[in-house]
């Protein structure tokens, strides 16, 4: 019989720590593939290395963007039309700040 109820809570919390770390570290993988035309593995490792240097800033930004979007969802989902662009713009600015502009 597996863990139930309160017994599973410590396991959940222990699992959330590495999951959060890797989700934040690999957050910019797809933008790197699209913007810099990198292969998947190259984008994964480049994103990991660069975000690792700014990990707490990226985590804070993602939490802040989520906190801004929650009221937008609560207002009949139409509020997301106003709040989502703010979050996306902030994440886009962080991407440009971390990875720099590509010279065309």
């Amino acid at each position: 019989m597996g863990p139930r109820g309160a017994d599973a809570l410590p396991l959940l919390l222990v699992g959330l720590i590495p999951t959060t770390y890797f989700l934040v570290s690999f957050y910019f993988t797809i933008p790197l593939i699209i913007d810099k035309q990198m292969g998947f593995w190259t984008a994964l490792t480049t994103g990991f290395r660069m975000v690792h240097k700014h990990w707490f800033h990226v985590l804070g930004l993602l939490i802040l963007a989520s906190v801004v979007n929650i009221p937008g969802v609560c207002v009949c989902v139409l509020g997301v039309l106003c709040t989502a662009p703010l979050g996306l713009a902030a994440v886009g600015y962080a991407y440009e700040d971390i990875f720099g502009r590509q010279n065309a």
Side-chain angles (χ1 to χ4, degrees), residues 48-55 57:
F48 182 82
R49 277 188 284 112
M50 294 300 289
V51 170
H52 181 73
K53 298 174 187 176
H54 308 279
W55 193 86
H57 292 110

Side-chain angles (χ1 to χ4, degrees), residues 24-43:
V24 171
S25 296
F26 297 137
Y27 189 78
F28 292 115
T29 300
I30 293 176
L32 282 170
I33 291 171
I34 294 169
D35 183 39
K36 308 284 189 194
Q37 288 89 31
M38 291 182 177
F40 175 75
W41 193 254
T42 305

Side-chain angles (χ1 to χ4, degrees), residues 33-91:
I33 291 171
I34 294 169
D35 183 39
K36 308 284 189 194
Q37 288 89 31
M38 291 182 177
F40 175 75
W41 193 254
T42 305
L44 197 69
T45 57
T46 302
F48 182 82
R49 277 188 284 112
M50 294 300 289
V51 170
H52 181 73
K53 298 174 187 176
H54 308 279
W55 193 86
F56 284 105
H57 292 110
V58 174
L59 175 66
L61 175 66
L62 295 177
I63 290 172
L64 186 61
S66 298
V67 167
V68 168
N69 285 333
I70 288 171
V73 171
C74 293
V75 181
C76 299
V77 184
L78 292 175
V80 174
L81 296 174
C82 296
T83 60
L86 293 173
L88 290 173
V91 170

